[in-house]
Amino acid sequence: PMVYGMLLSNRLMARPVDRGSMAFLLASPNPRRRVAFTQLLVLMLNQALLIAYATALAIVCSEAMFPGELETGRYILMNAGVFFLHTALSGLCFFAACVSNESRKALAVGGGISAVFYLIRMLANMGGRLENLKYATIFTLFDPERIIAGESGALAMTGILLLIGAVLSGAGIAVFEKRDLPL
């Protein structure tokens, strides 16, 4: 979902600006805010469908192979947290795509920061001296063990991820609405 969010946000916002096809969308009677919001809605609905499909497939396979073993409610709750995590990452990529005039720069910034977050998280998971690096990324806000345990702090942290995604997406729309486009 992270790579999908990077590529889709780039394809929906940065690429049309880069290629000049955004002029056709902006020539319609719709304001820029509506165009950007529609593109954001497409991004988030695609992310939701991807995660819902993977969740449903895992539940069906689990029931087929290990009937009654999966705690479905907790598994769905954990995957809701996954969606909130990817909402934040997609919001970052969407913001970069709204700010940038070139597709490759948007992908480098949004995708690059997301990839660096992921790499830092992998280094932190190795333990030892690097363990404290985990606090340098937004991946820290997603703790599947605590979500499955039903801890309210873990649910609040996933709510923060949703808030991060909403703020970054809203900022992206606001920037896109005000900026000069090289069309």
Side-chain angles (χ1 to χ4, degrees):
M2 185 172 81
V3 173
Y4 184 70
M6 287 180 216
L7 296 175
L8 188 58
S9 64
N10 187 49
R11 175 165 267 176
L12 290 171
M13 290 303 293
R15 193 171 176 193
V17 171
D18 191 17
R19 293 186 171 183
S21 60
M22 182 62 79
F24 295 110
L25 287 173
L26 297 178
S28 70
N30 298 309
R32 282 186 183 201
R33 178 176 288 278
R34 184 176 297 156
V35 169
F37 183 75
T38 302
Q39 301 295 67
L40 174 66
L41 190 61
V42 168
L43 172 66
M44 292 303 156
L45 284 175
N46 273 280
Q47 286 282 61
L49 286 173
L50 179 67
I51 291 170
Y53 173 74
T55 302
L57 182 64
I59 290 170
V60 167
C61 289
S62 174
E63 287 302 315
M65 292 188 277
F66 310 103
E69 293 291 318
L70 180 67
E71 293 184 39
T72 308
R74 291 181 187 217
Y75 183 71
I76 291 172
L77 187 62
M78 185 191 65
N79 279 291
V82 169
F83 174 69
F84 293 163
L85 171 65
H86 289 290
T87 297
L89 293 170
S90 294
L92 173 65
C93 294
F94 185 79
F95 177 77
C98 287
V99 170
S100 180
N101 286 335
E102 295 181 29
S103 179
R104 62 187 172 97
K105 286 182 183 176
L107 199 54
V109 172
I113 292 172
S114 297
V116 166
F117 280 167
Y118 186 72
L119 291 173
I120 290 172
R121 180 60 181 209
M122 286 188 344
L123 287 172
N125 285 344
M126 289 173 45
R129 297 180 315 179
L130 301 175
E131 189 171 354
N132 287 332
L133 280 177
K134 71 180 178 183
Y135 299 112
T137 73
I138 62 174
F139 284 97
T140 302
L141 296 172
F142 176 68
D143 190 352
E145 290 87 19
R146 290 179 59 202
I147 292 171
I148 290 172
E151 293 181 23
S152 62
L155 299 176
M157 289 190 321
T158 58
I160 293 171
L161 285 169
L162 183 62
L163 181 65
I164 290 169
V167 167
L168 286 170
S169 299
I173 291 172
V175 167
F176 182 77
E177 187 177 27
K178 301 287 184 207
R179 66 183 274 234
D180 261 354
L181 295 174
L183 301 174

